[in-house]
Amino acid sequence: MAFVVGLTGGIGSGKSAASAWFESQGIAVVDADVVAREIVQKGQPALTQIQQAFGGWVLLENGELNRRALREHIFKAPEARKVLEQITHPAIRSSIIWQLQQAASPYALLASPLLFETNQHELAQRSLLIDASEELQIQRASQRDGQNAEQIKKIIAAQMPRAQKQQRADDIVLNDGHLDHLYLHLQPLHEKYLALAKKQLP
Ligand code: ADP
């Protein structure tokens, strides 16, 4: 498997902006959020398992996952979240591993908002945190998603605290300026990862 860099950051920190930049440099990006949606698509074994665990109501008439009904169920019955995660987490992990193995770039990026929370950092040799103040996170995420500050604050509160992520990450980029400023800080890291990936080659 290629050298893997795990990219993380809280909501609105600029993870997607950073991963798009790496992609523009020819780096293969596996996005854990995308994988999480793929593994519950119609016809996927995880969807069948969810149906078996919860009942037919989790499916829409067209056979797709009724995300809204499942989300509401989990909200009311917190132990159901564990059952769901026991199905989805291993499926997400295997799919991530498979996709990382297909990466044809000098190193690969695993972008995941929950890199540390879900132990996906174990799949990476190095981790990079895109960091921003809570104020900036709220401002950017509410502009992007049209959600109010309270909703964003709730999401931030459910994620690993910023200080803890700062402690765990190997590299940190503070995204508190313009996007060009972000890219300027990513460039030397990209070069470092290229060098580290080269070193890892047999
Ligand atoms: P995340 O993926 O971490 O939730 P995004 O990369 O989607 O965050 O960034 C949130 C929003 O803020 C997006 O609309 C993005 O274009 C914008 N953004 C990110 N970084 C900057 C920045 N340095 N300057 C201005 N806008 C930014």
Side-chain angles (χ1 to χ4, degrees), residues 25-85:
Q25 304 300 305
I27 297 306
V29 175
V30 177
D31 184 325
D33 276 349
V34 173
V35 176
R37 285 192 293 271
E38 283 170 356
I39 59 111
V40 291
Q41 271 167 8
K42 206 169 152 179
Q44 293 298 314
L47 185 57
T48 311
Q49 285 175 283
I50 293 171
Q51 184 194 354
Q52 282 164 353
F54 293 96
W57 61 265
V58 292
L59 297 184
L60 293 165
E61 262 178 36
N62 64 8
E64 282 176 14
L65 181 64
N66 188 340
R67 293 176 171 278
R68 195 165 157 188
L70 190 57
R71 204 180 312 127
E72 279 166 15
H73 177 68
I74 280 167
F75 188 70
K76 281 186 238 144
E79 69 282 2
R81 175 184 293 276
K82 278 203 188 120
V83 175
L84 179 65
E85 288 180 348

Side-chain angles (χ1 to χ4, degrees), residues 89-161:
H89 282 184
I92 293 170
R93 206 178 174 89
S94 328
S95 181
I96 287 175
I97 292 171
W98 187 83
Q99 292 189 34
L100 287 171
Q101 282 167 344
Q102 309 305 306
S105 51
Y107 68 90
L109 202 77
L110 167 58
S112 173
L114 302 175
L115 187 78
F116 297 122
E117 289 90 330
T118 57
N119 289 330
Q120 284 167 354
H121 68 282
E122 292 167 0
L123 305 175
Q125 279 75 43
R126 207 163 170 94
S127 57
L128 166 60
L129 172 68
I130 307 299
D131 195 23
S133 68
E134 195 167 306
E135 244 181 331
L136 269 178
Q137 281 183 273
I138 293 168
Q139 189 187 316
R140 287 179 187 149
S142 52
Q143 259 177 21
R144 183 194 58 192
D145 305 336
Q147 287 184 310
N148 64 38
E150 285 316 306
Q151 287 167 314
I152 309 287
K153 274 188 193 170
K154 267 192 206 155
I155 297 172
I156 293 175
Q159 296 181 331
M160 182 183 278

Side-chain angles (χ1 to χ4, degrees), residues 9-18 140-141 144 175-179 182:
I11 180 170
S13 60
K15 262 183 325 293
S16 308
R140 287 179 187 149
R144 183 194 58 192
N175 180 21
D176 64 349
H178 292 293
L179 279 170
L182 169 70

